[in-house]
Amino acid sequence: MNATIVIYGSSTGTCEAIAEKIASKLGCEALNVQDLTADVVNANQNLILGTSTWGAGELQDDWYDGLKTLQGADLSGKTIALFGCGDSASYSDNFVGGIGELYNGIKDSGAKFIGAVETDGYTFDDSEAVIDGKFIGLPLDDINEDDKTDTRIEAWIADITPNM
C-alpha cells in the first residue's frame, strides 16, 4: 500500500475515534485537520478524509481551512476515500451532508475517488453525499446505529484497500 493518512475533523470526538479506528486497521496515522499542511498532502498518495456533519449539512468547522489546504495542493493522481458521521434520525434531510461538502470542494482536483457505498440499509430522507444513487463515501451514524459502525468500517476498508 502506498503512503496513506487519515485526516479528520471532529468537534465532539466521535469522528476522531472513528478516524483512529480506521487508521489502526490500515496501519497508518490519523491526523487532525487542524494540523494539515501541504507537506502532509504531498507526502501521502492516499488520503482518507473524514468529517462530521453540522447544522444543515455543513462541514465540521476545522475543515473549512483544511479544504483550502487541499484545494491549494496538487491532488492529481492521488487516491481519496471519504467517510463521515451524521445523525439519520434528527437530521434525516441532510444526513452526512459534510461528506458531500468535502467532495464538492475537491471533486475537480484530478484525484481518484474510491469507497462509494450503497444506500441500502440506511434510513434517511436526503443527503448531499449521495451521487449517482450511492454515498460518495462511508456514512456512519454512531448515534442511532452504533451497533453497525464496526461492520460498516470493516466492509468499507475491505472495499478500498485493493485500490490504494
Side-chain angles (χ1 to χ4, degrees), residues 34-164:
Q34 293 174 334
D35 301 320
L36 181 62
T37 65
D39 288 341
V40 170
V41 175
N42 293 336
N44 291 279
Q45 176 61 32
N46 302 312
L47 306 174
I48 314 297
L49 310 176
T51 185
S52 49
T53 299
W54 292 92
E58 293 136 21
L59 281 170
Q60 188 272 344
D61 287 342
D62 299 326
W63 262 113
Y64 289 102
D65 287 337
L67 191 53
K68 288 177 187 173
T69 300
L70 291 174
Q71 290 168 334
D74 181 8
L75 300 179
S76 59
K78 296 202 181 277
T79 300
I80 296 177
L82 306 171
F83 71 95
C85 304
D87 178 343
S88 63
S90 299
Y91 298 95
S92 181
D93 58 338
N94 56 31
F95 179 55
V96 296
I99 299 173
E101 291 284 319
L102 197 50
Y103 173 74
N104 286 332
I106 56 175
K107 68 182 179 185
D108 297 324
S109 65
K112 172 183 161 188
F113 287 87
I114 61 171
V117 173
E118 295 288 342
T119 59
D120 299 343
Y122 290 90
T123 303
F124 68 101
D125 292 322
D126 195 21
S127 178
E128 187 178 345
V130 174
I131 298 172
D132 296 329
K134 290 185 174 184
F135 287 105
I136 191 62
L138 174 65
L140 297 167
D141 182 348
D142 213 47
I143 296 168
N144 303 294
E145 298 180 337
D146 59 326
D147 59 318
K148 297 178 182 179
T149 297
D150 288 340
T151 304
R152 287 175 171 166
I153 289 171
E154 290 289 338
W156 185 67
I157 287 175
D159 180 54
I160 67 171
T161 303
N163 299 300
M164 296 171 46

